[in-house]
Amino acid sequence: MDGDFRTSFVREPAALRHYPALVLNADYRPLSYYPLSLWPWQEAIKAAFLDRVSIVAEYDQVVRSQRAAFRIPSVVVLKEFVSPQKRVAFTRFNLFLRDEFRCQYCGAKGDLTFDHVLPRARGGVTSWQNVVAACSSCNLRKGSKTLRQAGMRLFRAPKEPTPAEMQRHGQRFPPNHLHESWLDYLYWDAELEA
């Protein structure tokens, strides 16, 4: 146990854990807004050393090896363009993002889970078209009943989102931490205010 503690402490000091790098595609757009494309600082330095990325912005923090000192990258851009995804992965995070982190029955924003509109007990499948974000109380109230049986309605019918829709949703729901060096790259294609 003592050896594990020392190894993890030396490899990942607490002060350096919180320096993620925003990863941009070769066109200077984030690889993803859902979730935001971030790498740990170690991966960003490794990619720069292997000449896979260019460093666009850096933190003030420095890390040292035996022979060199490196400022931690805060924004990196890939040297080769990566084609965007054609489909949105069906994940819990993406489901909540599609539904704008709101219960699709009552509109509540907290304590979210997911619900099968047509319950699995009645033949419902786990898919974009049948699963919605729901608060715990609405999920319990609905149980394994149909919407009609439960006397409930959806704010909007569930459907598979397009990557463009998810990009727009991702821009509206940024992560809790946005470093100032990222801001010029996150919303550069947004319409300017007059």
Side-chain angles (χ1 to χ4, degrees), residues 62-113:
V62 174
V63 292
R64 296 178 190 340
S65 72
Q66 263 185 320
R67 299 178 187 177
F70 304 95
R71 286 185 62 194
I72 297 177
S74 66
V75 180
V76 296
V77 61
L78 298 177
K79 292 199 172 185
E80 292 185 26
F81 185 78
V82 174
S83 296
Q85 295 177 331
K86 300 209 185 300
R87 274 187 65 247
V88 176
F90 184 62
T91 65
R92 182 182 296 257
F93 177 84
N94 286 346
L95 174 73
F96 290 161
L97 184 60
R98 177 200 69 183
D99 292 344
E100 300 177 347
F101 298 95
R102 290 178 172 262
C103 173
Q104 292 302 291
Y105 299 117
C106 72
K109 290 184 178 181
D111 195 24
L112 290 179
T113 182

Side-chain angles (χ1 to χ4, degrees), residues 17-22 38-41 59 73-75 177 179 182:
R17 252 186 244 148
H18 307 289
Y19 293 97
L22 174 65
L38 300 175
W39 283 351
W41 65 269
Y59 292 103
S74 66
V75 180
H177 167 76
H179 190 263
W182 304 351

Side-chain angles (χ1 to χ4, degrees), residues 4 119 127 149 184:
D4 292 340
S127 70
Q149 290 170 332
D184 288 338

Side-chain angles (χ1 to χ4, degrees), residues 4-170:
D4 292 340
F5 170 76
R6 276 190 249 137
T7 302
S8 63
F9 179 76
V10 169
R11 287 197 178 159
E12 195 172 300
L16 299 178
R17 252 186 244 148
H18 307 289
Y19 293 97
L22 174 65
V23 183
L24 306 175
N25 209 339
D27 64 356
Y28 282 76
R29 291 185 185 193
L31 277 178
S32 172
Y33 279 101
Y34 55 94
L36 190 58
S37 51
L38 300 175
W39 283 351
W41 65 269
Q42 297 93 329
E43 292 296 320
I45 288 176
K46 178 180 173 184
F49 184 76
L50 294 173
D51 202 32
R52 294 179 182 155
V53 298
S54 297
I55 298 173
V56 178
E58 299 169 321
Y59 292 103
D60 291 332
Q61 186 70 29
V62 174
V63 292
R64 296 178 190 340
S65 72
Q66 263 185 320
R67 299 178 187 177
F70 304 95
R71 286 185 62 194
I72 297 177
S74 66
V75 180
V76 296
V77 61
L78 298 177
K79 292 199 172 185
E80 292 185 26
F81 185 78
V82 174
S83 296
Q85 295 177 331
K86 300 209 185 300
R87 274 187 65 247
V88 176
F90 184 62
T91 65
R92 182 182 296 257
F93 177 84
N94 286 346
L95 174 73
F96 290 161
L97 184 60
R98 177 200 69 183
D99 292 344
E100 300 177 347
F101 298 95
R102 290 178 172 262
C103 173
Q104 292 302 291
Y105 299 117
C106 72
K109 290 184 178 181
D111 195 24
L112 290 179
T113 182
F114 61 89
D115 181 61
H116 290 78
V117 178
L118 177 62
R120 291 190 317 178
R122 297 177 182 266
V125 296
T126 303
S127 70
W128 282 114
Q129 294 78 13
N130 191 48
V131 177
V132 295
C135 68
S136 294
S137 61
C138 285
N139 199 350
L140 283 171
R141 185 174 140 216
K142 183 173 169 287
S144 61
K145 301 177 214 152
T146 64
L147 289 174
R148 179 178 285 171
Q149 290 170 332
M152 299 170 79
R153 297 179 60 193
L154 289 166
F155 281 117
R156 89 180 138 232
K159 68 179 188 72
E160 183 171 351
T162 66
E165 289 170 332
M166 292 299 278
Q167 291 283 58
R168 285 192 299 275
H169 286 295

